Amino acid sequence: MSDVSTSPDRNGPATTAEPLVNEAENRRKRANLAPLARLLPFLKRYKLKVLAAIAALFAAAGATLVLPSAIRQMIDQGFDSDNSQLIQSYFLVLIAVVAALSVASALRYFLVMWIGERVVADLRRAAFDHIVGLDASFYDGARSGEILSRLTADTTQIKSAFGASASIAMRNLIMSFGATVMMVITSPHLSLIVLAAIPVILVPLLTFARGVRKRSRMAQDTLANAIAYASEILSNIRSLQAFTHERHASERFGSAVEESFSAARRMTAARAILTAFAIFVIGCSVVIVLWIGANRVMAGTMTGGELSQFLLYSVLAAGSLAGLSEVWGELSLAAGAAERLSELLDIEPSITAPQNAQSVLHSNAVELGFENVSFAYEAANALPALTDISLKVRPGETVALVGPSGAGKSTLFHLLLRYYDPTSGALTLNGTDLRQLDPRELRTHMALVPQETAIFAATIADNIAFSKPEASREEIIVAAKAASAHDFISAMTEGYDTLVGERGITLSGGQKQRLAIARAILKDAPILLLDEATSALDAESERAVQDALDELMQDRTTLVIAHRLATVLKADRIIVLESGRILEEGTHQQLLAKGGLYANLARLQFDQPLA
Ligand SMILES: Nc1ncnc2c1ncn2[C@@H]1O[C@H](COP(=O)(O)OP(=O)(O)OP(=O)(O)O)[C@@H](O)[C@H]1O
């Protein structure tokens, strides 16, 4: 039997699921920076800070560009002892420039990092809000590890782009432009030589940088795979241990990590060579300029100060250009990440509220209807899971669903909860088509007790209040008492404040079920969807759970996937499903008398003397 609350995992290991997007397509798109534009709305929220950061950036660049000409003045005039007064004030000005540079740089750093962190925080929130609103058919094909990696690794990549890289790129752009202009002003002749050399330096640098980027992409992809695998393993750790699969898992994770290490190593080696190359080429060009300049100074066509000034500007210009080529790679990585995130943000949930959604009157008298409902899951080769189901569940009635595994019982619940819409036919609530309702509002009318209870790493009280977060402690206790859970909760060291482990690892199966029932009681919804567990509860827990369920089912329209004789005996009607069709319908006695599938199932499943 399946747990309707965790349908994404039902199709076996998530490794078989398709990746969200085609990887080759992804690589093609990564080549340009356009996807970063998608993030502009996030930036626009902080306009003032962005403007301040740009101002600080210009101030820092301006101060840096002032320094070489200050040094030239000092060399050409300062060492002349006639001007000793001048030189003193000159150094004071220089200190003021350095002070301005340091303040502007600190401001730039703070603002840019702040913006980066803020944008990523907003982006993570927006992505999470979006993801939790996506419908079941999205999760049928998604890997949770991959989604997590988008929420963490991709956003981190964007943070570094918005933080460090974007500011370095802008600073380098401004600096290379400013320094080039100053070079030309200082010495047009030497500038010509340097400008002619720029393509010789840049072309191989950019080509090489592309190789670095490709390798770094590979390192990232392999790491994402390793992380997706680890998250899959951790969420199934018990089964892993039960099948003593640890060594295999460690080997697989180990080799994924090693693969990502060697990809990172290749990237680092390429980067190291790039750095050596850049330093060599830039160094040589500086030496050549120095060489030519020195000859000009000796020939008396240039002053020593001019040459120093020019050299400093050319070092600044060349350094900025080299830096630019490096951050370009990082920016395009961030563009790749932004692209991946945008794809996720662009996925529209297919189950949405219609415009002018009708609302359901809150009342306990709810009638459910299936009118010629057929449904097939979207998965490739999926056979129809339900075919031509017509059924009415009257207000307050309890209908038990019985049938062999795969008959479509959980699918009926999925459609009622509007995880999916039927392929044809309609489901109704008090006569209104469910598609006319907001799925969120619809679900407030239903309480689901799944076969496997989702327990969160929180206190027992918080776990019960999951269905009604505003519930008071008294309400929680009343619900727990009605669910026969109060006694075992009170026996715990910290009672309702006891922390339970992730997925309720510290609780027994029966205890978790009773918490789920308490949750449903607290929700107090008029429709009850109950997926009974077959897990072997001892007789006492079974009775406790049964009492709790009886209490819960009172006066509610109830659909129950039945595994207990007690449940089918109490049901007003039993519907027998097979291969997605209704095969038989009636009370326990009527169906037994018929001697059909139900009689067979009852004999096998309930393992009880059949009255
Ligand atoms: N998310 C899904 N994607 C594709 N096919 C699915 C999905 N969920 C269920 N199915 C298929 O739909 C059919 C009906 O499944 P369903 O879970 O409703 O049966 P069930 O009667 O609840 O079975 P069980 O008692 O074993 O849980 C099965 O053939 C199943 O393989």
Side-chain angles (χ1 to χ4, degrees):
M1 295 293 142
S2 62
D3 164 12
V4 292
S5 71
T6 55
S7 55
D9 298 336
R10 54 172 308 134
N11 276 343
T15 34
T16 56
E18 285 292 311
L20 289 165
V21 279
N22 181 303
E23 195 52 25
E25 175 77 352
N26 224 356
R27 271 178 216 288
R28 187 183 59 72
K29 287 178 183 163
R30 262 175 222 134
N32 68 58
L33 300 186
L36 286 177
R38 238 336 259 276
L39 304 174
L40 286 180
F42 289 92
L43 262 186
K44 278 196 187 136
R45 295 181 197 167
Y46 307 106
K47 255 189 225 131
L48 273 183
K49 286 229 164 47
V50 172
L51 287 178
I54 292 175
L57 203 65
F58 273 98
T64 315
L65 289 172
V66 163
L67 283 177
S69 72
I71 285 165
R72 168 204 175 166
Q73 301 282 338
M74 195 183 74
I75 294 175
D76 283 354
Q77 296 166 24
F79 296 130
D80 193 340
S81 53
D82 296 348
N83 291 336
S84 80
Q85 190 51 44
L86 190 69
I87 197 165
Q88 303 311 327
S89 52
Y90 202 79
F91 275 111
L92 285 179
V93 173
L94 221 52
I95 285 180
V97 171
V98 171
L101 174 65
S102 58
V103 171
S105 303
L107 255 179
R108 174 188 62 88
Y109 176 78
F110 176 76
L111 288 170
V112 160
M113 292 315 262
W114 187 96
I115 293 167
E117 296 281 358
R118 194 57 255 169
V119 163
V120 162
D122 290 353
L123 202 58
R124 284 193 175 131
R125 290 180 61 174
F128 187 79
D129 289 354
H130 184 72
I131 292 166
V132 291
L134 289 178
D135 54 68
S137 51
F138 165 76
Y139 285 101
D140 283 346
R143 284 177 79 175
S144 55
E146 189 174 333
I147 299 172
L148 264 187
S149 129
R150 289 186 187 202
L151 267 183
T152 52
D154 284 347
T155 46
T156 306
Q157 189 82 56
I158 291 170
K159 179 172 76 184
S160 70
F162 264 82
S165 305
S167 96
I168 292 173
M170 271 171 74
R171 188 189 63 192
N172 286 4
L173 259 180
I174 297 169
M175 288 293 289
S176 54
F177 181 75
T180 311
V181 169
M182 293 305 290
M183 271 164 65
V184 174
I185 293 173
T186 315
S187 166
H189 185 81
L190 280 184
S191 305
L192 218 63
I193 301 172
V194 171
L195 291 182
I198 284 178
V200 181
I201 301 171
L202 269 192
V203 170
L205 264 185
L206 285 177
T207 320
F208 216 78
R210 199 168 303 141
V212 169
R213 192 160 78 233
K214 212 176 85 198
R215 287 184 172 80
S216 117
R217 179 75 249 167
M218 264 162 58
Q220 251 206 334
D221 285 351
T222 43
L223 185 65
N225 276 340
I227 289 171
Y229 180 67
S231 93
E232 228 174 271
I233 288 296
L234 290 181
S235 53
N236 294 302
I237 191 75
R238 291 257 162 119
S239 312
L240 179 98
Q241 289 170 347
F243 288 104
T244 52
H245 209 65
E246 296 93 329
R247 187 188 306 195
H248 178 80
S250 296
E251 277 168 10
R252 229 187 105 179
F253 183 71
S255 71
V257 168
E258 289 310 318
E259 207 178 307
S260 114
F261 167 74
S262 40
R265 189 178 41 95
R266 282 195 296 273
M267 178 202 53
T268 314
R271 243 193 171 144
I273 296 172
L274 178 67
T275 309
F277 181 76
I279 291 176
F280 180 73
V281 174
I282 292 168
C284 278
S285 49
V286 168
V287 170
I288 290 169
V289 168
L290 188 59
W291 194 350
I292 298 170
N295 281 321
R296 290 172 62 100
V297 173
M298 282 190 290
T301 51
M302 195 180 200
T303 68
E306 259 172 0
L307 177 60
S308 316
Q309 177 180 358
F310 185 83
L311 259 184
L312 285 173
Y313 281 131
S314 56
V315 167
L316 279 179
S320 312
L321 279 177
L324 205 57
S325 76
E326 201 164 310
V327 290
W328 184 265
E330 299 211 350
L331 282 180
S332 49
L333 281 188
E339 176 87 45
R340 278 153 58 99
L341 263 178
S342 307
E343 278 161 5
L344 196 59
L345 288 171
D346 286 344
I347 297 173
E348 294 284 343
S350 51
I351 306 285
T352 48
Q355 276 189 336
N356 312 321
Q358 299 187 22
S359 61
V360 181
L361 283 181
H362 271 272
S363 84
N364 273 346
V366 173
E367 184 185 74
L368 294 172
F370 291 77
E371 293 163 13
N372 306 103
V373 168
S374 296
F375 175 73
Y377 288 97
E378 270 172 29
N381 308 326
L383 295 169
L386 294 175
T387 311
D388 203 21
I389 299 284
S390 291
L391 173 69
K392 274 225 172 332
V393 187
R394 290 182 296 277
E397 192 184 18
T398 296
V399 168
L401 300 171
V402 176
S405 181
K409 306 179 292 289
S410 307
T411 306
L412 279 181
F413 278 18
H414 291 166
L415 295 187
L416 275 172
L417 285 156
R418 256 198 107 194
Y419 289 162
Y420 307 90
D421 282 334
T423 322
S424 65
L427 284 88
T428 58
L429 193 157
N430 286 347
T432 310
D433 191 322
L434 297 194
R435 284 168 292 206
Q436 302 298 318
L437 305 173
D438 179 342
R440 284 172 216 263
E441 210 229 306
L442 166 72
R443 290 169 197 157
T444 61
H445 297 273
M446 302 185 177
L448 169 73
V449 180
Q451 198 174 88
E452 257 174 51
T453 312
I455 300 282
F456 301 92
T459 63
I460 294 263
D462 289 342
N463 266 294
I464 295 177
F466 184 66
S467 57
K468 188 180 173 189
E470 71 282 6
S472 68
R473 181 53 66 97
E474 286 66 39
E475 285 178 283
I476 293 173
I477 294 175
V478 169
K481 280 186 177 157
S484 307
H486 181 70
D487 290 346
F488 85 79
I489 297 172
S490 307
M492 291 178 158
T493 42
E494 287 173 64
Y496 284 83
D497 294 316
T498 309
L499 280 169
V500 283
E502 206 175 343
R503 282 176 293 125
I505 231 142
T506 52
L507 296 171
S508 77
Q511 289 171 338
K512 280 194 254 186
Q513 269 183 355
R514 278 176 275 168
L515 288 188
I517 295 169
R519 239 180 223 172
I521 292 174
L522 191 61
K523 184 162 181 185
D524 194 21
I527 304 167
L528 184 62
L529 302 178
L530 204 63
D531 194 351
E532 278 188 344
T534 37
S535 54
L537 294 179
D538 60 65
E540 200 174 325
S541 324
E542 158 116 35
R543 199 168 312 118
V545 169
Q546 193 59 52
D547 288 348
L549 287 176
D550 289 348
E551 162 85 25
L552 185 58
M553 292 187 322
Q554 290 261 309
D555 301 328
R556 287 173 218 268
T557 307
T558 304
L559 267 172
V560 47
I561 297 178
H563 298 293
R564 295 193 182 93
L565 183 65
T567 310
V568 288
L569 286 177
K570 275 196 193 114
D572 299 309
R573 245 182 326 151
I574 301 164
I575 304 288
V576 185
L577 284 168
E578 193 191 38
S579 307
R581 291 173 189 275
I582 295 183
L583 202 70
E584 298 171 352
E585 191 178 332
T587 62
H588 179 67
Q589 294 301 345
Q590 287 165 346
L591 290 173
L592 276 188
K594 234 174 154 182
L597 178 68
Y598 179 81
N600 261 335
L601 276 176
R603 198 171 304 119
L604 293 169
Q605 195 166 340
F606 304 132
D607 199 19
Q608 304 262 349
L610 299 171

